[in-house]
Amino acid sequence: MTNPWRRVNVLSSFVNANAIHANSDLLASAIPSVRNLARQTTSIRFGGQQVTLEEEKLLPPLKPDSILRDRYRIIATVGQGGMGSIYRAEDLRLQGRFCAIKEVQIDPSSSPEQQQQAREQFHREASILARLDHPNLPKVSDFFNEGNRDYLVMDFVPGTDLRQAIEEAKSRGKFLPERQVLNWAAQLCDALIYLHGQEPPVLHRDIKPANIKLTPEGVIKLVDFGLVKLMVPDDARTITVLQGRGTALYTPLEQYGGDTGHTDPRSDIYSLGATLYHLLTNEPPAEAKTRFLHPEKLIAPRTLNPSLSLRTEQAILWAMSMHPDDRPASVRDFRDVLLSTSPLGLWPTREDQTTLEKIAPINRILAAAALGMLIISVLATIFSPTLPVP
């Protein structure tokens, strides 16, 4: 069966390229099955116009004081998306412990077999998430299902998210200090190195400022496992833990294919680079689909924030390369360049690159200038007239 998301992308590209007026009737007639996708997205932009899709109604959020599994008392709904809600809850067995509960509603339009497969997949992969233990990740402590809803229980992380930090800095006409952002970046890199180092590797796929929380103690937490994926070692594909598609501003081009697109750790690196771009410039980067047609739409970070160091700018742009092969091969490689203080750093991307190609662009210029001055001095020495000995 043809993947409907691919058909949406094809239609979207055609409409955008030809500036055709699109509406819901055109969308519905071109892709009859698109209504089944409404639980993953509520609208698609065609030619600058927002087209709202018909959306199946989700079950309403749980009410405050609702009890789940005779253990968790719902305090409030703190977030809501296309697949369910996120709640703040109290653990009635452990006095004083609060947790976040992510709800995932099973697609009611799917067949009983598909619903059973989705539930088995959720439990299988949630058990892997429950084994993760890292200071920059919330601890997953429980998972279960009730009725048509699956639940993932994790630590409730106090503090503010980095989207709020951007908005606060922007309201004061300031930029977040580069040193502070790089400190946060180091913690995020540590978390991603840990995730990508699991067997099988775990991908997050929705890194963005709103999904990064800063605790009162100054610790960064990468939250919302809604798009975490597990890479299958003997397969080029990945398996979604909890269905979702990422946030366009921070999503690499290869992730637009939904579950048919091949994603690997370099997809998270793109999202991390896009997140750092936003944190350091107060402006979100141009979407990958826009950059594909108009590369000039991505404004260099130092154009927006002239105080930013050249090394940081280049590291961010490297992470945000359109093709995965042009990005750092690993988060460790990206971290080493981003946080390095050495004057000459390597810029490793593809396995077949020469040593010269690996040298960061600005360092290539400096090296060429130094080599040129050396050649000039040698030539001047050789061809300078010999002065007579007195």
Side-chain angles (χ1 to χ4, degrees):
M1 179 179 176
T2 303
N3 185 295
W5 272 119
R6 180 169 293 178
R7 297 167 68 189
V8 169
N9 287 332
V10 170
L11 179 62
S12 174
S13 299
F14 176 78
V15 172
N16 282 322
N18 293 278
I20 295 176
H21 177 76
N23 53 43
S24 299
D25 293 335
L26 170 62
L27 188 62
S29 63
I31 309 174
S33 61
V34 77
R35 291 183 180 87
N36 293 331
L37 306 175
R39 299 181 72 248
Q40 296 184 38
T41 186
T42 56
S43 61
I44 296 177
R45 185 172 294 278
F46 287 91
Q49 180 188 11
Q50 197 76 9
V51 180
T52 301
L53 308 180
E54 231 175 82
E55 182 175 4
E56 293 184 30
K57 291 185 177 180
L58 294 173
L59 295 173
L62 299 175
K63 295 181 179 180
D65 293 325
S66 298
I67 305 295
L68 291 174
R69 214 182 193 188
D70 297 324
R71 177 173 181 176
Y72 304 106
R73 181 178 69 85
I74 301 300
I75 297 175
T77 301
V78 296
Q80 197 165 7
M83 300 298 293
S85 302
I86 300 177
Y87 307 99
R88 184 169 187 244
E90 178 186 9
D91 189 336
L92 299 178
R93 293 186 191 173
L94 300 173
Q95 187 175 7
R97 178 183 182 252
F98 296 95
C99 53
I101 300 180
K102 175 138 191 171
E103 168 193 85
V104 180
Q105 297 188 23
I106 295 179
D107 186 353
S109 66
S110 60
S111 67
E113 294 79 9
Q114 291 173 324
Q115 292 185 24
Q116 181 62 27
Q117 290 175 1
R119 177 147 287 160
E120 290 174 355
Q121 178 176 310
F122 173 85
H123 280 258
R124 180 173 61 251
E125 294 165 348
S127 66
I128 294 179
L129 294 181
R131 295 201 294 267
L132 299 178
D133 187 10
H134 190 275
N136 298 115
L137 299 172
K139 179 65 178 175
V140 175
S141 58
D142 197 5
F143 55 91
F144 56 91
N145 65 277
E146 288 192 4
N148 207 40
R149 314 187 204 208
D150 290 323
Y151 295 98
L152 192 69
V153 183
M154 62 190 77
D155 293 339
F156 181 82
V157 180
T160 58
D161 63 57
L162 296 192
R163 175 188 55 186
Q164 295 170 295
I166 294 172
E167 292 172 351
E168 181 182 346
K170 192 172 183 178
S171 68
R172 294 186 286 108
K174 303 288 186 180
F175 292 104
L176 292 168
E178 181 177 354
R179 179 175 295 184
Q180 182 180 55
V181 173
L182 291 182
N183 176 271
W184 297 341
Q187 296 182 59
L188 289 170
C189 286
D190 287 345
L192 289 174
I193 290 171
Y194 173 80
L195 289 174
H196 296 172
Q198 299 300 303
E199 290 294 339
V202 177
L203 309 184
H204 190 278
R205 293 217 317 162
D206 198 22
I207 301 168
K208 59 183 179 181
N211 281 346
I212 303 168
K213 296 198 75 172
L214 179 64
T215 70
E217 297 75 28
V219 177
I220 285 292
K221 296 277 188 177
L222 181 57
V223 301
D224 193 353
F225 284 104
L227 292 177
V228 168
K229 297 191 76 177
L230 304 177
M231 291 182 62
V232 182
D234 57 352
D235 193 344
R237 289 167 53 82
T238 49
I239 300 175
T240 306
V241 173
L242 306 177
Q243 300 294 327
R245 293 186 49 78
T247 304
L249 293 170
Y250 314 94
T251 300
L253 199 60
E254 69 269 16
Q255 201 169 308
Y256 276 80
D259 290 334
T260 63
H262 171 64
T263 54
D264 61 27
R266 295 170 299 179
S267 302
D268 278 349
I269 291 172
Y270 181 100
S271 298
L272 176 58
T275 295
L276 295 178
Y277 181 107
H278 197 173
L279 287 169
L280 290 165
T281 66
N282 289 343
E283 297 294 337
E287 295 182 20
K289 288 174 72 173
T290 300
R291 293 176 56 200
F292 181 76
L293 297 174
H294 305 285
E296 74 282 357
K297 292 294 184 180
L298 182 65
I299 302 172
R302 278 161 53 89
T303 301
L304 298 171
N305 179 3
S307 66
L308 192 63
S309 70
L310 187 58
R311 176 183 291 277
T312 297
E313 177 186 67
Q314 290 193 324
I316 290 173
L317 294 177
W318 183 31
M320 294 182 65
S321 297
M322 291 294 289
H323 197 286
D325 288 346
D326 293 328
R327 297 176 205 149
S330 68
V331 176
R332 195 180 301 276
D333 286 344
F334 173 66
R335 182 192 63 183
D336 289 347
V337 170
L338 179 69
L339 304 179
S340 174
T341 56
S342 59
L344 274 179
L346 292 184
W347 210 250
T349 53
R350 301 185 300 275
E351 292 183 1
D352 60 343
Q353 272 192 320
T354 65
T355 301
L356 179 61
E357 289 177 321
K358 291 181 181 179
I359 297 176
I362 185 60
N363 292 329
R364 294 179 209 164
I365 297 173
L366 294 174
L371 180 60
M373 293 177 65
L374 177 62
I375 292 174
I376 291 173
S377 63
V378 170
L379 291 176
T381 301
I382 294 174
F383 295 104
S384 62
T386 304
L387 296 176
V389 179

